Amino acid sequence: MRRNVGWVCAISVASFGLRLGVAAASPDAALEAQTEEEPSRVRVSVDYQWELERSQLVRESVGQPSSGPVGAIPVQRDLDSSHARHTITPRLELSLIPGVWLSAALPLVAADDHSLSLHDGVDRATSSTLLDGLLPSDGFDAQNPTRGFADGDMLFRSRRRRGLDQVFAGAGVALMDQARDPHKPTWVLGAEVGLAVGQVAKFDAMEPSANEGVGRGVHELHLWTSVARRSARLETTFGIGWRAPFATKSDSPFRDLGYGITNVLPQQEAELTFSLAATALDRPAAHRRIDVRAGARVKAHFEGRGYSELWEVFALAGDARVDGAPLILDRDPVTADTQALSHPGITNLENSLDLGANLGVQAKLGAHVELALTAEVVWKTDHAITFADAGIDLPTCAAGQTTGCELANNDLIDAGTEEENPAFVSRIDLVGHRYRSTEGFGAVLGVRLGGSF
């Protein structure tokens, strides 16, 4: 006799960048006991995941003769971005009592590679990135800094990054379980904390090999819920998840620079998922079962700071040790002259959506072993990746008030005042000069091997 011990394994739906895990709250995805007397209480699994993301980077270009005074801001094509990542994630899940479990996961990035090249039809004489001096004319090769790319379309290649960003600890509860009450669906609530432990990713053009980390230095909270209902051979699952940062490490680039800064923390994310699974083979006596699952998801990225496709280029072009670097920040706008501060590379990112479709096969190969294969394609909506505001217009000072207000009664961001945003760089953040990520596309392949005891 098979009996569900009452806890459900969170199956992460993978995507580039951050991972917003949404559970497939299936009674048959749960750790199952083989007998009433010997219920399984522990599940271990190892995931391998390969992610590829490509996008086209365009630049807003004001002043073109062909543009009208009331038309949309014209853009010009500039660069193509390619990003690949391999991740191995061991996970442990422990059932405490029926319906309650704890989990821990350690996502290890085995390899992370990123490159930029000239878009088809764009050359070194017309690329706005080169014309603005954000990259030298022969580009930059972080794997061989003395060589560059004198020929071909390649302009930038990163170091191969690896390591940890966060470790995860979570808990979940099955408020309803169809295995115990066939008249109700399985309803699961879960929470997970991501603790930043890895080396924070930074870029130093003078010594690229000094930092090959993948961390962001951000602690995050992830909440999710899912509902599943199984019939004889079909199962439907619906999930909702939300992720938000709640603290940062001291060396994180997500710093509050004060004055008129408008965003400090990374983007929050929300995700909806839906899947339909069909049983292709079910032999309970032999503990063998094969399910084929198709699903879709929508992930919303809300405006916030983040690592974009150009973060290393911005860090290179904003190095305060280099005189005349075009993206150097002014740490104190109310003090005369520029108080040079290196650009951290991260920028304000506009709201965007990821639209994913996935297909997978999950097989129970015996009493204690499961294997899952998944594939997903992702379309990303166009969005600005340099989106900082110039600052915040403060209210007019009242009698005797000297801080947190402006002397002039206007609706402008006054230069040299507390209204200025120290993270704003007009060369890339000013409307008409911003970068946009367009035609974003991703692919994900994953393998999971799990065992229960």
Side-chain angles (χ1 to χ4, degrees):
M1 176 179 178
R2 297 192 306 168
R3 180 176 66 86
N4 189 306
V5 301
W7 62 288
V8 181
C9 301
I11 300 176
S12 294
V13 178
S15 68
F16 169 69
L18 297 173
R19 289 157 181 79
L20 188 58
V22 175
S26 161
D28 293 286
L31 179 64
E32 294 183 341
Q34 304 312 312
T35 67
E36 291 286 353
E37 291 76 21
E38 298 179 334
S40 298
R41 296 292 181 181
V42 178
R43 178 187 176 94
V44 294
S45 62
V46 177
D47 291 353
Y48 165 75
Q49 183 174 279
W50 171 79
E51 301 168 87
L52 175 67
E53 183 184 67
R54 298 185 185 276
S55 61
Q56 183 184 139
L57 303 175
V58 303
R59 190 90 179 269
E60 295 177 349
S61 180
V62 294
Q64 292 187 13
S66 59
S67 61
V70 295
I73 298 175
V75 297
Q76 62 182 50
R77 302 180 187 275
D78 196 12
L79 304 174
D80 291 329
S81 171
S82 178
H83 185 193
R85 173 173 284 196
H86 301 263
T87 307
I88 299 172
T89 306
R91 176 179 287 268
L92 172 67
E93 294 162 302
L94 173 65
S95 174
L96 301 179
I97 59 175
V100 180
W101 73 96
L102 300 177
S103 65
L106 193 70
L108 175 64
V109 176
D112 184 285
D113 299 289
H114 179 229
S115 63
L116 296 166
S117 58
L118 292 167
H119 184 69
D120 186 31
V122 180
D123 57 32
R124 296 172 192 266
T126 58
S127 168
S128 68
T129 300
L130 298 183
L131 293 175
D132 274 0
L134 306 188
L135 279 173
S137 59
D138 57 351
F140 189 87
D141 184 359
Q143 299 184 20
N144 191 346
T146 61
R147 186 180 64 183
F149 302 101
D151 301 313
D153 293 333
M154 185 76 76
L155 280 186
F156 180 84
R157 181 170 63 172
S158 70
R159 299 287 299 182
R160 170 161 286 184
R161 296 182 174 272
R162 54 179 62 85
L164 287 169
D165 179 10
Q166 299 170 321
V167 295
F168 294 92
V173 56
L175 300 180
M176 299 180 187
D177 189 342
Q178 188 178 353
R180 294 198 299 264
D181 185 347
H183 301 288
K184 297 178 181 178
T186 298
W187 177 25
V188 178
L189 295 177
E192 190 174 50
V193 174
L195 300 176
V197 297
Q199 182 185 31
V200 175
K202 296 181 181 180
F203 182 76
D204 184 349
M206 296 184 182
E207 195 177 358
S209 61
N211 186 301
E212 297 178 346
V214 296
R216 296 167 297 135
V218 178
H219 306 297
E220 293 178 318
L221 174 65
H222 172 209
L223 303 176
W224 56 267
T225 186
S226 60
V227 178
R229 180 74 180 181
R230 173 171 283 279
S231 60
R233 302 187 71 86
L234 292 176
E235 175 190 81
T236 55
T237 305
F238 175 77
I240 302 175
W242 173 73
R243 186 189 295 274
F246 63 86
T248 61
K249 295 171 60 177
S250 59
D251 59 344
S252 173
F254 297 92
R255 296 168 49 197
D256 187 352
L257 300 178
Y259 298 105
I261 193 167
T262 52
N263 281 293
V264 175
L265 293 176
Q267 295 176 287
Q268 296 187 35
E269 297 178 347
E271 187 171 54
L272 301 177
T273 63
F274 174 81
S275 68
L276 177 65
T279 300
L281 173 70
D282 190 11
R283 295 179 180 174
H287 304 289
R288 297 196 179 184
R289 178 183 182 136
I290 298 177
D291 286 344
V292 179
R293 184 179 297 271
R297 68 184 180 94
V298 179
K299 178 190 285 188
H301 305 268
F302 301 103
E303 183 180 340
R305 303 278 279 173
Y307 289 87
S308 73
E309 296 97 318
L310 288 172
W311 79 268
E312 289 166 305
V313 172
F314 296 151
L316 184 154
D319 192 336
R321 299 168 297 180
V322 179
D323 291 338
L327 299 187
I328 292 176
L329 305 181
D330 184 359
R331 75 170 73 235
D332 190 356
V334 302
T335 300
D337 300 324
T338 298
Q339 315 302 307
L341 176 66
S342 292
H343 197 291
I346 63 170
T347 50
N348 285 34
L349 307 179
E350 189 181 17
N351 299 326
S352 64
L353 292 176
D354 293 350
L355 309 174
N358 52 76
L359 183 66
V361 177
Q362 184 172 343
K364 188 173 180 64
L365 303 179
H368 302 288
V369 180
E370 289 182 358
L371 176 68
L373 306 175
T374 60
E376 182 180 42
V377 292
V378 183
W379 296 267
K380 298 176 177 288
T381 60
D382 299 351
H383 59 281
I385 61 173
T386 52
F387 200 60
D389 293 324
I392 299 174
D393 183 46
L394 297 174
T396 304
C397 293
Q401 187 178 2
T402 58
T403 60
C405 60
E406 65 173 355
L407 296 176
N409 184 13
N410 59 39
D411 297 324
L412 305 175
I413 308 299
D414 298 310
T417 70
E418 297 178 16
E419 295 182 327
E420 279 197 75
N421 179 4
F424 174 83
V425 184
S426 60
R427 188 165 301 200
I428 59 174
D429 288 311
L430 186 65
V431 176
H433 301 270
R434 298 177 299 191
Y435 280 93
R436 301 188 66 85
S437 176
T438 66
E439 300 183 19
F441 175 81
V444 182
L445 296 177
V447 180
R448 165 173 289 186
L449 179 62
S452 56
F453 307 94

